[in-house]
Amino acid sequence: MIQFKDVGLVYPNGTEGLKNVNVTINDGEFVVIVGLSGAGKSTFIRSINRLVTPTKGSLLVDNEDILSYRSGELRKLRTKVGMIFQNYNLVKRSNVLKNVLAGRLGHTGTLRSILNLYKKEDVGLAYESLQRVNISEKIYNRADELSGGQQQRVSIARVLTQKPGYILADEPVASLDPPTSHQVMSYLKKINKEDNITTIVNLHFIDMAMEYADRIIGMRAGEVVFDGPVSEVNEKTFEEIYGRSIREDDLRGGADES
Amino acid sequence: MTNQSKDVVKGKTPSLYPVKTKAQVSIIFIVILGFYFFSMFWTQREMVGGFGDSLGNMFTVIGKFFPPNLSVIPAILEPMAQTIQMAIVATTCAAILTVPLALMSAQNITTFKPLYYATRTLMNILRTIPDLVLAVIFVGLFGIGVLPGILALFIFSLGILAKLISETIESVDMNPLEAMRASGGNVFQVIFFGLVPQVLPQFTSFVLYVFEINIRASVVLGLVGAGGIGLVLNQQLGFYNYQNAMAIIVLIFVVVIVIEYISNKLREALI
Amino acid sequence: MKSYTLPPKPEKSLFKKLKAILIVVILAAIYVWTFLGIDIDWARAIDRIANNFARVIPNLFSPDWSATADVSLSILETVLIAFAGSLMAAILAIPLGFLAAQNMTGSRILTTIGKWILSAVRAFPDIILAILFVVAVGPNAFAGVLAIAIGSTGMLGKLYSEVIESIDMKVVEAMEANGANKIQILFYAVIPQIIPEFLSYAIYRFEVDIRASSILGIVGAGGIGTMIIFAANNRNWNEMGLILLAIIIVVTIIDFISARIRRKIV
């Protein structure tokens, strides 16, 4: 369970990333955060694994306030909160298996990982994760030989290998074409259901949010302006969140192809 | 109305470049030329007979170097080997020590600014000192031998390597590093998994490049008593054995070409 | 315990494996050869440094200011040698650069010859060239100028040829289509594209040459190197300190100016 209690975040340059955020996310939920760019979606997500640190309020993950965490506890937190990025963030020159094994770093001793001495279970787990996203045949290819969609699948496998309780995905499909976007979202949804992993995804495409989310949180200027199950959402809701009428580029399209 | 269109109206041809640029370029050109003539005058002022005489003289004197006395080659193979060994030891040590230094002088890794500026400044000063001056000082400290030569090459290559590699580190893709941090890796793991694979090819290439420079530099070091082939070359020149000296020069030439060739092939394979 | 499947082993060809083993063996052999061959008398080195440290290091940091005038004149000569030498090289390298550029000569043989000349020149360390020129024109600063000029030509020619090879040939094509002759193409299509990089490289080379010319004096080719060798022979470490300081200051200033000019040009 993740609880935001009166969370606020002011960046050193004075911009307010988050304002009075009060949100509770229950285990196993698939939450999509929507909002225009700069609305604070990214800040919201990155607060949960402390890639950014809120300056106000308290943020509870599994009933522990993570804002007071220091390096050791922080690493432990990050092993149970996996993250997927817009640009996949793979090491391009390393092969797929090595990239996926990086998900085990938090569970592996420094010396062991530097000498590449992963436990057999870890290698097995990495391979299993790759099979789950259907990319195990590329295991020894270098990451830069893969297409964008394939790279994003590898990064999902990396997160799976981490055995997380939570998955954060920061604009996971913004750099992909419509069919591949749906493929990636389907994998995320499947993992969410099969492993009961709480999943929080940033999206700015309305149709995708509607299709995959259990619950939608709308943000504008650092504040939560909407929070409710997907059944309560309609076009009007989005117009309120975005503060303007819906345009064609707010839609991803291509849902029929997947 | 602009100046140029006025000119056209008056029937003058407008100049291809603005007048101001033209004047600036002319002034720079004259200054450079003037400085050049001054340099030429100054550097030739102690020369007997002037430029013309010397050039005529040059070919007869250079003739003294030919033919090179290749029969001395077996005798000079050992100092040549010593030169190469000095370069290998110095390059290896520099390559190892450069890692922490390069990390400390890379802005994206060392977020602690004072440390970054301190390492940067130290490296910049180090790079201004010619290798030979380092050799002279180390010979003064340790006496004649290979040790001062190795130390001089080591310090000299450290300055170059740390700069080149810290620049490479600053240009890497930081995204994978963020991902590693987000999955709970500690500082060492983030560096080894996110950074090392990205800089390793350039690192190896730069080390090879510095090795090439060191081979050439170690010839010079011998001239001040820091071991290797340069020592022998200096002796032969001192005795006016120009043909022996030429044989040494030919050997150096061949070794440098061979090493450059191999190192070029290796670097092409790496990148 | 949960069961797990291990991924298939990577398929490595025998050739790749052999290559990897071969590289490791060669590297190991090189290092064994090096460490067996290097003969350092540590006991003597430690003995020496214990004796010499106090005499050398503190003196380096207390420069002999009375030599300021001599050192200034010498370092000025070093700058002049580097300047004259780099300028000569910057001009000499132009025809060689064109000769070695594949898209200019249109002949593989000429290009290969050009590249060979340039790499042959580059293989001579500056100091060896200085030795040759000292014998030829006598022990004076002009020998240094010639050494720098020839030494820099090799590297500048190579850099120039790379610049020329990277120009946009479409402009040349357009001019050809206009009916321009070879000389016109050279001046209107090629030169405007290469001038900034040429200048930038020439100025960069001047930076390198300042360092190079500061050591030429040890073989008699003028500049501050002459003072270095005298100071070393006389164990005059105070004077060496001043020389070192002068070199650091001059090199830093010239690096700084040169970097600014180059940033402006490109």
Side-chain angles (χ1 to χ4, degrees):
Chain A
M1 197 164 64
I2 298 171
Q3 288 163 289
F4 281 74
K5 289 184 177 163
D6 255 341
V7 173
L9 189 152
V10 181
Y11 283 108
N13 63 10
T15 21
E16 272 199 289
L18 296 175
K19 257 186 270 180
N20 297 326
V21 174
N22 281 294
V23 168
T24 301
I25 294 168
N26 296 312
D27 287 344
E29 273 190 304
F30 194 102
V31 181
V32 171
I33 322 266
V34 293
L36 294 170
S37 57
K41 303 189 300 263
S42 224
T43 312
F44 181 90
I45 271 203
R46 279 158 197 255
S47 298
I48 300 171
N49 64 354
R50 282 279 307 277
L51 282 181
V52 297
T53 304
T55 46
K56 215 178 121 250
S58 58
L59 208 172
L60 274 58
V61 175
D62 294 339
N63 299 317
E64 265 193 73
D65 190 355
I66 61 159
L67 297 189
S68 60
Y69 278 6
R70 302 203 165 251
S71 57
E73 298 160 308
L74 204 54
R75 280 204 299 279
K76 205 171 263 168
L77 165 75
R78 286 172 179 173
T79 60
K80 69 178 180 195
V81 183
M83 186 153 187
I84 291 165
F85 301 83
Q86 175 180 346
N87 300 311
Y88 335 124
N89 293 16
L90 302 178
V91 183
K92 299 214 165 46
R93 296 189 55 94
S94 296
N95 69 25
V96 166
L97 180 62
K98 213 176 161 197
N99 267 298
V100 174
L101 277 170
R104 294 307 289 173
L105 284 180
H107 298 274
T108 312
T110 308
L111 197 63
R112 215 176 227 280
S113 57
I114 284 170
L115 296 174
N116 264 334
L117 291 171
Y118 279 99
K119 293 187 203 107
K120 278 222 165 63
E121 298 98 287
D122 288 354
V123 181
L125 183 63
Y127 187 53
E128 204 178 276
S129 311
L130 282 166
Q131 280 172 330
R132 288 186 67 187
V133 290
N134 273 326
I135 196 141
S136 57
E137 76 282 0
K138 300 280 188 196
I139 185 161
Y140 295 116
N141 286 59
R142 258 171 56 164
D144 54 4
E145 294 166 359
L146 271 52
S147 71
Q150 288 172 327
Q151 290 194 40
Q152 195 60 295
R153 271 145 69 196
V154 171
S155 87
I156 294 176
R158 177 172 64 191
V159 163
L160 278 178
T161 310
Q162 201 177 318
K163 290 241 162 226
Y166 304 89
I167 290 180
L168 311 173
D170 193 6
E171 296 280 5
V173 298
S175 312
L176 300 173
D177 58 27
T180 329
S181 302
H182 282 285
Q183 200 186 28
V184 164
M185 288 304 291
S186 310
Y187 278 120
L188 284 177
K189 184 81 182 178
K190 196 177 95 181
I191 288 158
N192 163 253
K193 287 282 157 296
E194 286 177 4
D195 298 11
N196 198 34
I197 297 175
T198 315
T199 307
I200 304 164
V201 184
N202 276 348
L203 281 178
H204 61 264
F205 297 116
I206 292 165
D207 49 344
M208 293 201 90
M210 295 290 288
E211 188 174 343
Y212 296 99
D214 298 333
R215 170 181 169 191
I216 286 180
I217 293 176
M219 294 191 73
R220 191 170 65 211
E223 283 179 293
V224 173
V225 292
F226 177 85
D227 185 356
V230 76
S231 53
E232 288 176 12
V233 177
N234 54 38
E235 199 165 306
K236 195 108 196 311
T237 326
F238 280 109
E239 284 180 348
E240 276 168 26
I241 295 170
Y242 284 18
R244 58 163 171 76
S245 57
I246 300 306
R247 297 193 300 236
E248 197 167 332
D249 59 349
D250 296 328
L251 303 172
R252 169 102 293 188
D256 301 331
E257 291 171 55
S258 63
Chain B
M1 217 191 263
T2 65
N3 278 337
Q4 277 175 356
S5 47
K6 243 186 237 162
D7 286 347
V8 176
V9 174
K10 281 185 195 160
K12 276 193 222 158
T13 6
S15 81
L16 207 49
Y17 299 103
V19 179
K20 203 181 151 206
T21 320
K22 244 185 181 170
Q24 269 178 349
V25 170
S26 309
I27 290 169
I28 292 172
F29 191 71
I30 289 166
V31 168
I32 288 180
L33 210 63
F35 199 57
Y36 175 70
F37 282 122
F38 176 65
S39 304
M40 289 302 265
F41 160 75
W42 182 279
T43 52
Q44 288 177 44
R45 95 207 117 92
E46 283 170 1
M47 217 160 75
V48 197
F51 188 44
D53 261 22
S54 298
L55 272 190
N57 194 21
M58 197 158 111
F59 291 99
T60 44
V61 179
I62 289 210
K64 283 194 217 162
F65 281 93
F66 290 95
N69 179 13
L70 295 178
S71 63
V72 297
I73 296 267
I76 55 175
L77 281 180
E78 207 194 308
M80 189 71 231
Q82 202 179 43
T83 293
I84 298 172
Q85 287 164 341
M86 280 164 62
I88 290 178
V89 175
T91 313
T92 310
C93 296
I96 294 167
L97 206 80
T98 218
V99 174
L101 281 175
L103 286 172
M104 279 193 277
S105 52
Q107 216 161 359
N108 53 347
I109 301 293
T110 303
T111 37
F112 182 56
K113 285 280 163 266
L115 181 65
Y116 161 77
Y117 284 114
T119 354
R120 268 267 140 129
T121 313
L122 182 71
M123 291 293 112
N124 281 339
I125 291 177
L126 220 54
R127 264 183 311 114
T128 60
I129 308 174
D131 45 2
L132 185 88
V133 178
L134 290 171
V136 167
I137 293 170
F138 285 124
V139 168
L141 282 173
F142 294 99
I144 287 171
V146 283
L147 182 64
I150 292 174
L151 285 174
L153 290 179
F154 164 67
I155 303 271
F156 179 67
S157 24
L158 199 60
I160 306 178
L161 264 184
K163 174 167 190 260
L164 289 173
I165 291 167
S166 68
E167 278 168 5
T168 314
I169 294 176
E170 283 180 350
S171 69
V172 301
D173 176 9
M174 289 301 281
N175 285 333
L177 279 75
E178 192 187 20
M180 308 270 162
R181 246 199 331 273
S183 64
N186 63 30
V187 179
F188 293 105
Q189 289 172 328
V190 168
I191 288 176
F192 260 85
F193 275 79
L195 189 68
V196 169
Q198 291 193 62
V199 296
L200 199 58
Q202 270 94 338
F203 177 82
T204 325
S205 163
F206 285 141
V207 169
L208 285 170
Y209 167 70
V210 166
F211 177 59
E212 280 172 44
I213 295 182
N214 277 345
I215 288 276
R216 271 183 245 204
S218 57
V219 173
V220 185
L221 300 187
L223 294 175
V224 293
I229 190 99
L231 204 61
V232 187
L233 179 61
N234 205 20
Q235 285 163 359
Q236 294 305 316
L237 283 169
F239 300 144
Y240 302 107
N241 282 335
Y242 290 132
Q243 295 184 347
N244 289 359
M246 196 62 201
I248 296 170
I249 291 173
V250 168
L251 183 66
I252 293 172
F253 182 75
V254 171
V255 167
V256 169
I257 290 218
V258 168
I259 286 180
E260 271 192 7
Y261 179 79
I262 296 174
S263 130
N264 264 333
K265 286 284 154 207
L266 283 176
R267 266 191 281 164
E268 273 167 28
L270 277 167
I271 292 188
Chain C
M1 197 178 145
K2 198 176 164 259
S3 69
Y4 48 84
T5 41
L6 284 181
K9 289 269 170 245
E11 291 168 35
K12 269 194 185 155
S13 62
L14 191 67
F15 176 69
K16 262 191 176 168
K17 269 187 204 162
L18 278 179
K19 211 169 111 181
I21 293 170
L22 197 67
I23 289 173
V24 172
V25 169
I26 290 176
L27 266 182
I30 288 176
Y31 276 102
V32 168
W33 173 72
T34 300
F35 283 100
L36 290 180
I38 280 278
D39 177 31
I40 297 173
D41 189 346
W42 288 105
R44 204 189 64 146
I46 291 166
D47 188 45
R48 287 279 191 134
I49 194 160
N51 280 331
N52 292 344
F53 188 86
R55 232 171 347 119
V56 177
I57 301 296
N59 287 340
L60 275 182
F61 288 97
S62 54
D64 171 16
W65 299 109
S66 69
T68 309
D70 285 350
V71 169
S72 309
L73 209 63
S74 259
I75 201 112
L76 173 74
E77 191 172 73
T78 298
V79 175
L80 294 179
I81 291 172
F83 184 80
S86 325
L87 192 61
M88 275 188 188
I91 292 160
L92 268 176
I94 295 174
L96 285 169
F98 272 94
L99 186 67
Q102 202 139 31
N103 54 348
M104 285 297 123
T105 55
S107 142
R108 284 193 70 98
I109 302 169
L110 280 181
T111 309
T112 316
I113 293 175
K115 286 205 194 312
W116 267 97
I117 295 177
L118 290 174
S119 45
V121 174
R122 271 204 315 281
F124 278 104
D126 291 344
I127 201 84
I128 302 274
L129 290 170
I131 289 172
L132 294 177
F133 283 120
V134 164
V135 175
V137 303
N140 54 51
F142 192 62
V145 174
L146 291 176
I148 295 284
I150 302 295
S152 310
T153 303
M155 187 216 185
L156 271 181
K158 179 174 181 253
L159 293 171
Y160 282 3
S161 73
E162 280 166 6
V163 172
I164 298 168
E165 280 175 357
S166 71
I167 65 165
D168 182 2
M169 288 301 280
K170 285 187 201 120
V171 185
V172 175
E173 236 170 64
M175 295 265 171
E176 267 170 358
N178 280 346
N181 66 28
K182 290 243 185 265
I183 302 291
Q184 287 168 328
I185 290 174
L186 186 67
F187 274 89
Y188 284 88
V190 179
I191 290 183
Q193 290 194 57
I194 56 177
I195 273 197
E197 269 100 345
F198 271 37
L199 282 177
S200 166
Y201 280 136
I203 294 168
Y204 166 70
R205 188 62 214 189
F206 175 57
E207 262 178 67
V208 177
D209 285 342
I210 289 277
R211 292 176 165 84
S213 68
S214 65
I215 63 171
L216 294 181
I218 61 154
V219 295
I224 193 98
T226 320
M227 292 194 81
I228 294 176
I229 207 76
F230 281 139
N233 288 343
N234 299 332
R235 312 244 183 283
N236 190 344
W237 297 108
N238 302 95
E239 194 175 301
M240 188 69 88
L242 186 68
I243 294 170
L244 203 55
L245 190 67
I247 292 177
I248 292 175
I249 291 172
V250 168
V251 171
T252 309
I253 291 174
I254 287 180
D255 279 7
F256 179 75
I257 297 174
S258 141
R260 293 210 65 169
I261 298 178
R262 281 189 288 137
R263 216 173 304 147
K264 228 179 162 182
I265 291 175
V266 178

